[in-house]
Amino acid sequence: MEIYQQEMRAIWKEFISGGYYNPEKVRPEILSSWQRCLGKVDPFQKKCLQILADNEFENLCHANMELLEISTPVMGDLYKFVQGSGFVIALSEASGHLLKIIGDQAVLSIVEKINFSLGANWAENVMGTNAVGTCIVTGKPLHVFASEHWWSWVRVGVCSC
């Protein structure tokens, strides 16, 4: 896995610099996402900058009340299986705004630093290649492995959606 990550980092660097890269080494769904992001999403941004104001977040939650009511117990059950393992479980609505997040406090503290937080917009056109945003674009389940993320500094972990 580490060799794959090193290779992906090198391919990503070549891709964003406009240099040669081997497209056969990148999964098609990731390459398509990178192509959508190139020139549109800053690969060096440090955190999500689009976060809803409190009243906007409350309105969005109200508009998605049924989704929240159905998903919250399921998220709780899922968390029981991953508790203590460094996972975070998040729920977004159709445009990529995060509605609910649960996980171990240590990990939540880390992801909050990049504004993976309530009301933050993790749409692909805002945050680049990531499981939440890219899944919304493709309409298909997706895993994004560390070095496949659009951000240069997100090189650990796996995100699934």
Short mmCIF file of all heavy atoms in Angstrom, two decimals, residues 89-138:
data_model
loop_
_atom_site.label_atom_id
_atom_site.label_comp_id
_atom_site.label_asym_id
_atom_site.label_seq_id
_atom_site.Cartn_x
_atom_site.Cartn_y
_atom_site.Cartn_z
N ILE A 89 -17.68 9.16 10.97
CA ILE A 89 -18.84 8.90 10.14
C ILE A 89 -19.55 10.23 9.94
O ILE A 89 -19.86 10.93 10.90
CB ILE A 89 -19.78 7.87 10.79
CG1 ILE A 89 -19.01 6.56 11.04
CG2 ILE A 89 -21.02 7.65 9.94
CD1 ILE A 89 -19.70 5.63 11.99
N ALA A 90 -19.77 10.57 8.69
CA ALA A 90 -20.40 11.86 8.38
C ALA A 90 -21.57 11.66 7.45
O ALA A 90 -21.60 10.74 6.64
CB ALA A 90 -19.37 12.80 7.76
N LEU A 91 -22.52 12.57 7.55
CA LEU A 91 -23.69 12.59 6.67
C LEU A 91 -23.72 13.95 5.98
O LEU A 91 -23.61 14.98 6.63
CB LEU A 91 -24.96 12.41 7.50
CG LEU A 91 -26.29 12.56 6.75
CD1 LEU A 91 -26.49 11.40 5.78
CD2 LEU A 91 -27.45 12.63 7.74
N SER A 92 -23.83 13.90 4.66
CA SER A 92 -23.99 15.16 3.91
C SER A 92 -25.32 15.12 3.18
O SER A 92 -25.89 14.05 2.96
CB SER A 92 -22.85 15.36 2.92
OG SER A 92 -23.05 14.62 1.75
N GLU A 93 -25.76 16.29 2.79
CA GLU A 93 -26.94 16.35 1.95
C GLU A 93 -26.49 16.41 0.50
O GLU A 93 -25.28 16.35 0.23
CB GLU A 93 -27.87 17.50 2.36
CG GLU A 93 -27.20 18.84 2.58
CD GLU A 93 -26.81 19.53 1.30
OE1 GLU A 93 -27.69 19.88 0.49
OE2 GLU A 93 -25.60 19.73 1.10
N ALA A 94 -27.41 16.53 -0.42
CA ALA A 94 -27.12 16.35 -1.84
C ALA A 94 -26.11 17.34 -2.43
O ALA A 94 -25.46 17.03 -3.42
CB ALA A 94 -28.41 16.42 -2.65
N SER A 95 -25.93 18.49 -1.82
CA SER A 95 -24.97 19.45 -2.38
C SER A 95 -23.60 19.36 -1.70
O SER A 95 -22.68 20.08 -2.10
CB SER A 95 -25.51 20.88 -2.29
OG SER A 95 -25.61 21.29 -0.94
N GLY A 96 -23.44 18.51 -0.70
CA GLY A 96 -22.14 18.29 -0.07
C GLY A 96 -21.94 18.92 1.28
O GLY A 96 -20.87 18.79 1.88
N HIS A 97 -22.95 19.61 1.82
CA HIS A 97 -22.82 20.20 3.15
C HIS A 97 -22.97 19.10 4.21
O HIS A 97 -23.89 18.29 4.13
CB HIS A 97 -23.89 21.27 3.38
CG HIS A 97 -23.66 22.49 2.57
ND1 HIS A 97 -24.22 22.67 1.32
CD2 HIS A 97 -22.91 23.59 2.82
CE1 HIS A 97 -23.84 23.84 0.84
NE2 HIS A 97 -23.04 24.41 1.72
N LEU A 98 -22.08 19.12 5.18
CA LEU A 98 -22.10 18.11 6.23
C LEU A 98 -23.19 18.43 7.25
O LEU A 98 -23.23 19.53 7.79
CB LEU A 98 -20.74 18.03 6.91
CG LEU A 98 -19.56 17.71 5.97
CD1 LEU A 98 -18.26 17.64 6.76
CD2 LEU A 98 -19.79 16.41 5.21
N LEU A 99 -24.06 17.45 7.50
CA LEU A 99 -25.19 17.63 8.41
C LEU A 99 -24.96 17.01 9.77
O LEU A 99 -25.51 17.48 10.77
CB LEU A 99 -26.46 17.01 7.80
CG LEU A 99 -26.95 17.58 6.49
CD1 LEU A 99 -28.16 16.79 6.00
CD2 LEU A 99 -27.29 19.06 6.65
N LYS A 100 -24.19 15.94 9.81
CA LYS A 100 -23.96 15.24 11.08
C LYS A 100 -22.61 14.53 10.99
O LYS A 100 -22.27 13.98 9.95
CB LYS A 100 -25.07 14.24 11.36
CG LYS A 100 -24.96 13.56 12.72
CD LYS A 100 -26.26 12.89 13.09
CE LYS A 100 -26.22 12.33 14.50
NZ LYS A 100 -26.17 13.34 15.54
N ILE A 101 -21.88 14.56 12.09
CA ILE A 101 -20.57 13.91 12.16
C ILE A 101 -20.45 13.25 13.52
O ILE A 101 -20.70 13.89 14.54
CB ILE A 101 -19.42 14.92 11.98
CG1 ILE A 101 -19.58 15.69 10.68
CG2 ILE A 101 -18.07 14.21 12.03
CD1 ILE A 101 -18.63 16.88 10.55
N ILE A 102 -20.05 11.97 13.53
CA ILE A 102 -19.76 11.30 14.79
C ILE A 102 -18.43 10.56 14.64
O ILE A 102 -18.04 10.16 13.54
CB ILE A 102 -20.88 10.34 15.25
CG1 ILE A 102 -21.15 9.25 14.21
CG2 ILE A 102 -22.15 11.11 15.56
CD1 ILE A 102 -22.16 8.22 14.66
N GLY A 103 -17.74 10.40 15.75
CA GLY A 103 -16.47 9.69 15.74
C GLY A 103 -15.76 9.86 17.06
O GLY A 103 -16.25 10.52 17.98
N ASP A 104 -14.60 9.27 17.16
CA ASP A 104 -13.78 9.40 18.37
C ASP A 104 -13.33 10.84 18.52
O ASP A 104 -12.96 11.50 17.54
CB ASP A 104 -12.56 8.49 18.28
CG ASP A 104 -12.94 7.02 18.13
OD1 ASP A 104 -14.04 6.64 18.57
OD2 ASP A 104 -12.12 6.26 17.57
N GLN A 105 -13.35 11.35 19.74
CA GLN A 105 -13.05 12.75 19.98
C GLN A 105 -11.67 13.15 19.45
O GLN A 105 -11.51 14.23 18.89
CB GLN A 105 -13.16 13.09 21.47
CG GLN A 105 -13.06 14.59 21.74
CD GLN A 105 -14.08 15.40 20.94
OE1 GLN A 105 -15.26 15.11 20.95
NE2 GLN A 105 -13.62 16.42 20.24
N ALA A 106 -10.68 12.29 19.59
CA ALA A 106 -9.33 12.63 19.11
C ALA A 106 -9.33 12.87 17.60
O ALA A 106 -8.69 13.81 17.11
CB ALA A 106 -8.35 11.52 19.47
N VAL A 107 -10.05 12.05 16.87
CA VAL A 107 -10.11 12.19 15.42
C VAL A 107 -10.97 13.40 15.04
O VAL A 107 -10.62 14.15 14.13
CB VAL A 107 -10.64 10.90 14.75
CG1 VAL A 107 -10.70 11.04 13.25
CG2 VAL A 107 -9.78 9.72 15.14
N LEU A 108 -12.07 13.60 15.74
CA LEU A 108 -12.92 14.76 15.47
C LEU A 108 -12.13 16.05 15.65
O LEU A 108 -12.29 17.00 14.86
CB LEU A 108 -14.15 14.75 16.36
CG LEU A 108 -15.18 13.67 16.07
CD1 LEU A 108 -16.27 13.66 17.13
CD2 LEU A 108 -15.78 13.85 14.69
N SER A 109 -11.27 16.10 16.64
CA SER A 109 -10.44 17.29 16.87
C SER A 109 -9.51 17.54 15.69
O SER A 109 -9.26 18.69 15.32
CB SER A 109 -9.62 17.14 18.15
OG SER A 109 -10.47 17.06 19.26
N ILE A 110 -9.01 16.48 15.10
CA ILE A 110 -8.10 16.61 13.95
C ILE A 110 -8.86 17.10 12.72
O ILE A 110 -8.44 18.04 12.06
CB ILE A 110 -7.39 15.28 13.66
CG1 ILE A 110 -6.43 14.94 14.81
CG2 ILE A 110 -6.65 15.32 12.33
CD1 ILE A 110 -5.90 13.53 14.76
N VAL A 111 -9.99 16.48 12.41
CA VAL A 111 -10.71 16.84 11.19
C VAL A 111 -11.37 18.21 11.30
O VAL A 111 -11.59 18.88 10.29
CB VAL A 111 -11.72 15.76 10.74
CG1 VAL A 111 -11.01 14.46 10.44
CG2 VAL A 111 -12.84 15.56 11.75
N GLU A 112 -11.65 18.66 12.51
CA GLU A 112 -12.21 20.00 12.69
C GLU A 112 -11.20 21.07 12.27
O GLU A 112 -11.60 22.15 11.82
CB GLU A 112 -12.65 20.21 14.13
CG GLU A 112 -13.94 19.49 14.46
CD GLU A 112 -14.33 19.56 15.92
OE1 GLU A 112 -13.62 20.22 16.72
OE2 GLU A 112 -15.35 18.95 16.27
N LYS A 113 -9.92 20.78 12.36
CA LYS A 113 -8.89 21.75 11.97
C LYS A 113 -8.93 22.06 10.48
O LYS A 113 -8.49 23.12 10.05
CB LYS A 113 -7.51 21.25 12.36
CG LYS A 113 -7.30 21.21 13.86
CD LYS A 113 -5.94 20.64 14.23
CE LYS A 113 -5.83 20.55 15.74
NZ LYS A 113 -4.61 19.85 16.16
N ILE A 114 -9.45 21.12 9.69
CA ILE A 114 -9.58 21.37 8.24
C ILE A 114 -11.01 21.72 7.88
O ILE A 114 -11.38 21.75 6.71
CB ILE A 114 -9.07 20.16 7.42
CG1 ILE A 114 -9.87 18.90 7.72
CG2 ILE A 114 -7.58 19.95 7.64
CD1 ILE A 114 -9.60 17.75 6.77
N ASN A 115 -11.81 21.98 8.89
CA ASN A 115 -13.22 22.33 8.74
C ASN A 115 -14.04 21.20 8.13
O ASN A 115 -14.96 21.44 7.35
CB ASN A 115 -13.40 23.63 7.95
CG ASN A 115 -12.98 24.84 8.76
OD1 ASN A 115 -12.93 24.79 9.98
ND2 ASN A 115 -12.66 25.91 8.07
N PHE A 116 -13.69 19.97 8.49
CA PHE A 116 -14.59 18.86 8.21
C PHE A 116 -15.57 18.90 9.38
O PHE A 116 -15.43 18.18 10.37
CB PHE A 116 -13.84 17.53 8.14
CG PHE A 116 -14.68 16.41 7.57
CD1 PHE A 116 -14.78 16.24 6.20
CD2 PHE A 116 -15.37 15.54 8.41
CE1 PHE A 116 -15.55 15.20 5.67
CE2 PHE A 116 -16.13 14.51 7.89
CZ PHE A 116 -16.23 14.35 6.52
N SER A 117 -16.51 19.84 9.26
CA SER A 117 -17.38 20.17 10.39
C SER A 117 -18.78 20.46 9.90
O SER A 117 -19.02 20.61 8.70
CB SER A 117 -16.80 21.37 11.15
OG SER A 117 -16.59 22.46 10.26
N LEU A 118 -19.69 20.57 10.83
CA LEU A 118 -21.09 20.80 10.48
C LEU A 118 -21.25 22.06 9.64
O LEU A 118 -20.69 23.11 9.96
CB LEU A 118 -21.94 20.91 11.75
CG LEU A 118 -21.98 19.65 12.62
CD1 LEU A 118 -22.81 19.90 13.87
CD2 LEU A 118 -22.50 18.45 11.85
N GLY A 119 -21.99 21.92 8.55
CA GLY A 119 -22.25 23.04 7.67
C GLY A 119 -21.19 23.29 6.62
O GLY A 119 -21.38 24.11 5.72
N ALA A 120 -20.05 22.59 6.71
CA ALA A 120 -18.99 22.78 5.72
C ALA A 120 -19.39 22.12 4.41
O ALA A 120 -20.04 21.07 4.39
CB ALA A 120 -17.68 22.17 6.23
N ASN A 121 -18.99 22.73 3.31
CA ASN A 121 -19.33 22.22 1.98
C ASN A 121 -18.16 21.42 1.43
O ASN A 121 -17.14 21.97 1.05
CB ASN A 121 -19.67 23.38 1.05
CG ASN A 121 -20.16 22.90 -0.30
OD1 ASN A 121 -20.16 21.72 -0.61
ND2 ASN A 121 -20.58 23.84 -1.13
N TRP A 122 -18.34 20.10 1.32
CA TRP A 122 -17.30 19.20 0.81
C TRP A 122 -17.62 18.74 -0.60
O TRP A 122 -17.18 17.67 -1.03
CB TRP A 122 -17.07 18.05 1.78
CG TRP A 122 -16.20 18.52 2.90
CD1 TRP A 122 -16.56 19.31 3.94
CD2 TRP A 122 -14.80 18.30 3.02
NE1 TRP A 122 -15.45 19.60 4.71
CE2 TRP A 122 -14.37 19.00 4.18
CE3 TRP A 122 -13.86 17.60 2.27
CZ2 TRP A 122 -13.03 18.99 4.59
CZ3 TRP A 122 -12.54 17.59 2.69
CH2 TRP A 122 -12.15 18.28 3.84
N ALA A 123 -18.35 19.57 -1.34
CA ALA A 123 -18.62 19.27 -2.75
C ALA A 123 -17.30 19.25 -3.51
O ALA A 123 -16.34 19.93 -3.15
CB ALA A 123 -19.55 20.33 -3.35
N GLU A 124 -17.24 18.46 -4.56
CA GLU A 124 -16.00 18.32 -5.33
C GLU A 124 -15.55 19.66 -5.92
O GLU A 124 -14.35 19.95 -5.93
CB GLU A 124 -16.21 17.30 -6.44
CG GLU A 124 -14.94 17.00 -7.22
CD GLU A 124 -15.18 16.05 -8.37
OE1 GLU A 124 -15.65 16.53 -9.44
OE2 GLU A 124 -14.93 14.84 -8.21
N ASN A 125 -16.48 20.49 -6.37
CA ASN A 125 -16.07 21.76 -6.97
C ASN A 125 -15.58 22.77 -5.93
O ASN A 125 -15.06 23.82 -6.28
CB ASN A 125 -17.21 22.36 -7.81
CG ASN A 125 -18.40 22.76 -6.97
OD1 ASN A 125 -18.63 22.23 -5.89
ND2 ASN A 125 -19.18 23.69 -7.48
N VAL A 126 -15.72 22.42 -4.67
CA VAL A 126 -15.22 23.27 -3.58
C VAL A 126 -13.94 22.68 -2.98
O VAL A 126 -12.97 23.40 -2.76
CB VAL A 126 -16.29 23.42 -2.47
CG1 VAL A 126 -15.75 24.19 -1.27
CG2 VAL A 126 -17.54 24.09 -3.02
N MET A 127 -13.95 21.37 -2.74
CA MET A 127 -12.86 20.71 -2.02
C MET A 127 -12.02 19.78 -2.87
O MET A 127 -11.09 19.16 -2.38
CB MET A 127 -13.43 19.93 -0.83
CG MET A 127 -14.16 20.80 0.17
SD MET A 127 -13.16 22.17 0.77
CE MET A 127 -11.90 21.28 1.64
N GLY A 128 -12.35 19.63 -4.13
CA GLY A 128 -11.58 18.72 -4.97
C GLY A 128 -11.97 17.28 -4.73
O GLY A 128 -12.98 16.99 -4.10
N THR A 129 -11.16 16.38 -5.23
CA THR A 129 -11.44 14.95 -5.13
C THR A 129 -11.49 14.53 -3.67
O THR A 129 -10.53 14.65 -2.93
CB THR A 129 -10.35 14.14 -5.86
OG1 THR A 129 -10.22 14.64 -7.19
CG2 THR A 129 -10.68 12.65 -5.87
N ASN A 130 -12.64 14.06 -3.24
CA ASN A 130 -12.86 13.51 -1.90
C ASN A 130 -14.09 12.64 -2.00
O ASN A 130 -14.88 12.77 -2.94
CB ASN A 130 -13.00 14.64 -0.86
CG ASN A 130 -14.32 15.37 -0.96
OD1 ASN A 130 -15.32 14.96 -0.38
ND2 ASN A 130 -14.34 16.48 -1.71
N ALA A 131 -14.26 11.72 -1.07
CA ALA A 131 -15.35 10.75 -1.19
C ALA A 131 -16.71 11.41 -1.23
O ALA A 131 -17.55 11.06 -2.06
CB ALA A 131 -15.27 9.73 -0.06
N VAL A 132 -16.97 12.37 -0.36
CA VAL A 132 -18.28 13.01 -0.31
C VAL A 132 -18.60 13.68 -1.64
O VAL A 132 -19.59 13.38 -2.29
CB VAL A 132 -18.36 14.05 0.83
CG1 VAL A 132 -19.66 14.84 0.77
CG2 VAL A 132 -18.20 13.38 2.19
N GLY A 133 -17.75 14.59 -2.06
CA GLY A 133 -18.01 15.38 -3.26
C GLY A 133 -17.98 14.58 -4.54
O GLY A 133 -18.82 14.78 -5.43
N THR A 134 -17.03 13.68 -4.66
CA THR A 134 -16.90 12.92 -5.90
C THR A 134 -18.03 11.89 -6.03
O THR A 134 -18.52 11.65 -7.13
CB THR A 134 -15.51 12.28 -5.99
OG1 THR A 134 -14.53 13.33 -5.86
CG2 THR A 134 -15.29 11.57 -7.30
N CYS A 135 -18.47 11.35 -4.93
CA CYS A 135 -19.61 10.43 -4.95
C CYS A 135 -20.86 11.16 -5.42
O CYS A 135 -21.65 10.63 -6.20
CB CYS A 135 -19.83 9.84 -3.56
SG CYS A 135 -21.22 8.70 -3.46
N ILE A 136 -21.03 12.40 -4.98
CA ILE A 136 -22.20 13.18 -5.41
C ILE A 136 -22.15 13.40 -6.92
O ILE A 136 -23.16 13.25 -7.61
CB ILE A 136 -22.27 14.52 -4.65
CG1 ILE A 136 -22.62 14.26 -3.18
CG2 ILE A 136 -23.27 15.47 -5.29
CD1 ILE A 136 -22.47 15.46 -2.28
N VAL A 137 -20.97 13.72 -7.45
CA VAL A 137 -20.83 13.96 -8.89
C VAL A 137 -21.11 12.70 -9.69
O VAL A 137 -21.83 12.72 -10.69
CB VAL A 137 -19.42 14.51 -9.23
CG1 VAL A 137 -19.18 14.53 -10.73
CG2 VAL A 137 -19.24 15.90 -8.65
N THR A 138 -20.54 11.58 -9.26
CA THR A 138 -20.66 10.34 -10.03
C THR A 138 -21.95 9.58 -9.77
O THR A 138 -22.39 8.79 -10.61
CB THR A 138 -19.48 9.38 -9.74
OG1 THR A 138 -19.54 8.98 -8.37
CG2 THR A 138 -18.14 10.04 -10.05
#
